[in-house]
Amino acid sequence: MDNLTHSLVGALIGQTGLKRKTGLNIPALIIGANLPDVDAACFFWLEGVEHLGFRRGITHGPPAWLLLPLVLAGMLWGFDRWQAKRGKRPEGRVPVHFGWLYLLGFIACLTHPALDWLNVYGIRLLEPFSSQWFYGDTLFIIDVWLWGLMGFATWWSLRQEKRGETWRKTGRQALALALVYIGVNGAISTYVASSAQAANPQATQVIASPLPVTSWDREVLLKVDYGYWAHVESSARQDLARPNKISVSPCRLSTATAGANSQLDAFLFWSRALIAERAEDGSVILRDARFYDPRARDRFSLALPDVECEPLAPPSP
């Protein structure tokens, strides 16, 4: 999910009452909720699409769940001591407890892979023990309804706290409602994917991809025939049994091309719905049906000018 969603989850956890356990609680919760995205630093040393095969891996797996909060707690505890030595420590800050800093950071850090699992991009939850991708297909990467719910609840709870009113209940109720919302969307995805599979028994793979804003709708992607992907734009408005073939000139990418370069290896490792498209000059462009959008093609595509691709037979009617 996006970093605003992660931050709001961290803030709401604090508004359940846990923030009273130690000083520097909010930094521990909000930074902890975003900490696994430290792997975004890979853009400094990786080129092209190599980041696709690196992100949501090692910093999102079990060892990171334990180590990243430990580093965060140590830095916050050290910062508090540094401020105290310089006489700059705020008088109103409650004592900083290392154990609670670690626990809060750990809880917040766990919410990050849980949320990242919810969308179609995927996450390698067991890295480095396994490089398998896991997909929740439940929410779009940016969910405005979660923004509204958690943003308003955080603001209202803080306002209640300032007024001396009961504020912990608001944070707890908002998190519970968010879980219900996520559960309902998960059920929608499961139902739509099952219905699409039943309506298209020839499909070898089905992905129910949540749409932005209208989170109750799904774009259904189906792998039909050999190497062709088709889609139904909205499960609520179109017959699942009549998918539209994605408008490309698909071809078969030779397996001999694997290992040819790091860009190709990274893209093949990351891709879930691979499309090998023949360009006008005869070269190959790799895309992924999940992100087959003109606005996203440059980011989620790979041009292979020196690779040939055999045309596929037309799909059966």
Side-chain angles (χ1 to χ4, degrees):
M1 303 294 288
D2 65 286
N3 293 106
L4 177 56
T5 300
H6 290 304
S7 299
L8 287 172
V9 169
L12 266 181
I13 291 174
Q15 290 308 116
T16 64
L18 285 177
K19 70 178 188 179
R20 291 296 180 91
K21 300 297 183 179
T22 178
L24 296 177
N25 46 76
I26 295 302
L29 287 165
I30 293 181
I31 297 175
N34 287 278
L35 201 51
D37 275 344
V38 69
D39 62 358
C42 72
F43 286 101
F44 289 110
W45 72 82
L46 297 181
E47 299 180 358
V49 299
E50 290 179 350
H51 66 93
L52 294 175
F54 183 83
R55 295 294 307 276
R56 296 197 179 187
I58 189 65
T59 62
H60 290 62
W65 306 344
L66 300 173
L67 295 177
L68 289 178
L70 184 63
V71 173
L72 176 61
M75 292 179 66
L76 292 175
W77 185 85
F79 175 72
D80 181 72
R81 294 296 182 272
W82 177 74
Q83 281 191 316
K85 287 182 179 179
R86 297 186 62 205
K88 301 291 185 179
R89 189 181 191 279
E91 293 182 4
R93 180 186 296 163
V94 299
V96 170
H97 188 283
F98 183 87
W100 272 109
L101 281 179
Y102 176 73
L103 183 58
L104 293 180
F106 176 71
I107 294 172
C109 189
L110 283 182
T111 67
H112 189 107
L115 287 170
D116 280 358
W117 168 75
L118 293 175
N119 50 63
V120 298
Y121 189 100
I123 181 175
R124 303 196 303 282
L125 279 171
L126 302 179
E127 198 75 70
F129 309 111
S130 170
S131 294
Q132 178 183 348
W133 288 89
F134 295 87
Y135 310 94
D137 299 344
T138 298
L139 298 178
F140 190 70
I141 193 169
I142 296 176
D143 192 295
V144 295
W145 304 107
L146 274 183
W147 279 2
L149 167 63
M150 296 192 297
F152 175 79
T154 300
W155 169 78
W156 185 252
S157 179
L158 287 170
R159 184 179 180 182
Q160 289 176 313
E161 183 181 7
K162 187 176 181 180
R163 291 178 171 182
E165 301 172 355
T166 301
W167 52 273
R168 295 173 178 84
K169 187 177 180 180
T170 300
R172 295 167 186 171
Q173 289 176 334
L175 284 177
L177 189 56
L179 289 174
V180 170
Y181 173 78
I182 291 170
V184 169
N185 273 278
I188 292 174
S189 292
T190 300
Y191 172 76
V192 171
S194 299
S195 300
Q197 183 69 77
N200 301 272
Q202 79 279 13
T204 58
Q205 189 175 349
V206 178
I207 301 173
S209 180
L211 297 181
V213 185
T214 56
S215 60
W216 50 89
D217 280 340
R218 298 292 181 272
E219 178 185 32
V220 182
L221 300 170
L222 306 104
K223 190 172 185 180
V224 294
D225 296 296
Y226 181 79
Y228 284 89
W229 279 87
H231 72 121
V232 181
E233 292 183 359
S234 173
S235 61
R237 294 187 292 271
Q238 192 171 336
D239 185 359
L240 286 172
R242 303 186 63 177
N244 300 315
K245 184 168 72 71
I246 291 178
S247 181
V248 297
S249 301
C251 58
R252 182 189 302 122
L253 184 68
S254 171
T255 56
T257 60
N261 61 63
S262 58
Q263 299 281 315
L264 176 58
D265 290 344
F267 196 92
L268 293 178
F269 172 67
W270 163 80
S271 180
R272 182 184 180 188
L274 182 67
I275 297 174
E277 177 184 357
R278 182 182 294 275
E280 293 182 359
D281 61 1
S283 62
V284 175
I285 300 176
L286 296 186
R287 307 192 193 281
D288 192 291
R290 294 171 297 172
F291 304 102
Y292 195 78
D293 186 320
R295 295 166 296 180
R297 287 187 182 184
D298 291 339
R299 183 179 179 188
F300 299 110
S301 66
L302 175 63
L304 301 171
D306 300 324
V307 175
E308 295 183 355
C309 211
E310 301 177 3
L312 289 173
S316 54

